[in-house]
């Protein structure tokens, strides 16, 4: 088997570390091109040395000296800053993991697709902000996007050998997050620490809080529409507390194909890494009789208004995904920093959407990387204004 050139963007995060876990099990199969991270320079340097990466890049200029020092004598190049991340994405690679959190992952992913890499996409935000640009970049670069979000990997797998025209509906599951069983009136006083615990998955802080608010599922509904080209009314979310079924695809003959597995991201990452083959992966095997039962509940839009907003965004299309995501990221910062309460996040996002839907520079704007970045920028300013008044 030919050695594959791979890069990992967001290597120090939860998805990045799970990806490294898989790579490190078969080091002879991979040449590591670039690893990128943020503030955790020690982890980045350690992994870059261990995997013999060509280059390690921290997103922040001020962390450059520490990274250079940590890599001195290792033969690994060190670089820092946004431009260095984008340059690293231009380095030819066969397979690239996109696991930066937030809209910051969009451009590196586009660049990697542009140079022809297969892009393993954990960064759902890039599909939400600019799905059409991502798909076009994949076509132009003759690369392809392999979904890593567990629900989308599940749908992708359920569709193998199927005709997309025979799909009637797609159902993605949601654990319900930290506050699934909390009384509604308690949510207003929920703290970031309480929101950052997840019943089933071990993930980064931001996506874990987004699971409690269901903004994560909201992003995933939009991601489903963008990635698979399915109509909004064919996509639904259902609460499934066990997180063992990740998604189901319903076909026109009434059959539902479900993807079932333990909540371990190494499954979806490994599937994308080895696609189109299936190889052995170090994930637990389920004992169904020991589990006994699986449960499902309707996802309540009063408890989780983010789901209603996602539906509006799916119908509106255009730049509304980029506005929605940036407003959400800013409201999430506001919640983490103690500037707004947990239940203020959705109203802030809703107000940004309604304010910017009539904004002169966004209304009827063409859909390009520039207008997506402009929409992102204006949404962050608007969300901050709303949170300070
Ligand atoms: P994380 O916070 O654990 O890691 C994020 C990574 O991105 C880190 O390496 C960090 O240094 C880097 N980063 C942060 N801001 C950056 C910036 N401005 N520029 C460059 N790099 C930056 O996050 P995570 O949980 O691993 O999630 C990563 C992505 O994968 C997110 O889009 C998330 O929604 C998605 N995802 C995660 C999981 C999961 O199980 N963790 C599951 C599905 C999808
Ligand atoms: Mg997911």
């Amino acid at each position: 088997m030919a050695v594959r050139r791979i890069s990992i963007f967001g290597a120090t995060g939860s998805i990045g570390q799970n990806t490294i876990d898989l790579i490190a099990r078969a080091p002879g199969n991979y040449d590591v091109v670039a690893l990128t991270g943020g503030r955790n320079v020690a982890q980045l340097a350690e992994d870059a040395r261990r995997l013999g990466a060509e280059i390690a890049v921290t997103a922040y200029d001020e962390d450059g000296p520490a990274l250079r020092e940590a890599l001195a004598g290792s033969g690994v190049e060190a670089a820092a800053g946004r431009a260095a991340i984008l340059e690293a994405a231009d380095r030819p690679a066969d397979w690239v993991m996109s696991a930066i959190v937030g809209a910051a992952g969009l451009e590196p992913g586009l660049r990697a697709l542009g140079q022809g890499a297969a892009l393993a996409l954990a960064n759902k935000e890039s599909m939400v902000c600019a799905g059409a640009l991502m798909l076009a970049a994949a076509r132009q670069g003759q690369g392809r996007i392999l979904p890593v979000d567990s629900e989308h990997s599940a749908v992708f797998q359920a569709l193998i050998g199927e005709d997309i025209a025979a799909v009637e509906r797609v159902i993605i599951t949601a654990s319900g997050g930290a506050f699934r069983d909390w009384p509604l009136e308690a949510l207003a006083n929920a703290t970031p620490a309480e929101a950052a615990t997840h019943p089933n998955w071990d993930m980064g802080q931001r996506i874990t809080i987004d699971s409690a608010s269901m903004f994560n599922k909201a992003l995933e509904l939009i991601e489903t529409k963008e990635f698979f080209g399915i109509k909004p009314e064919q996509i639904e979310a259902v609460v499934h507390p066990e997180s063992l079924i990740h998604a189901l695809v319903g076909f026109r003959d009434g059959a539902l194909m479900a993807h079932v597995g333990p909540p371990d991201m190494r499954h979806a990452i490994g599937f994308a890494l080895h696609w189109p083959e299936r190889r052995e992966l170090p994930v637990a095997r389920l004992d169904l009789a020991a589990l006994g039962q699986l449960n499902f509940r309707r996802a309540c839009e009063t408890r989780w208004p983010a789901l209603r907003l996602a539906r509006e965004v799916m119908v509106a299309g255009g730049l509304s995904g980029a506005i929605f995501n940036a407003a959400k990221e800013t409201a999430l910062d506001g919640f983490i920093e103690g500037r707004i309460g947990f239940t203020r996040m959705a109203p802030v996002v809703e107000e940004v959407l309604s304010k910017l839907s009539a904004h002169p520079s966004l209304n009827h704007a063409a859909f390009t990387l520039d207008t997506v970045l402009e929409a992102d920028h204006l949404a962050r300013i608007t969300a901050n204004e709303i949170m300070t008044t």
Side-chain angles (χ1 to χ4, degrees), residues 124 148-152 173 201 203 207 216-217 220 223 265:
K124 62 193 80 186
V148 170
D149 216 347
S150 56
E151 297 76 7
H152 306 77
T173 62
W201 294 93
M203 310 185 286
I207 184 176
N216 180 49
K217 214 45 58 180
E220 291 180 356
E223 182 187 9
M265 286 308 295

Side-chain angles (χ1 to χ4, degrees), residues 10 12-15 37-38 59 99-101 104 122-125 149 203-204 265:
T12 54
S14 163
I15 291 286
I100 289 172
V101 62
N123 180 266
K124 62 193 80 186
E125 295 90 343
D149 216 347
M203 310 185 286
M265 286 308 295

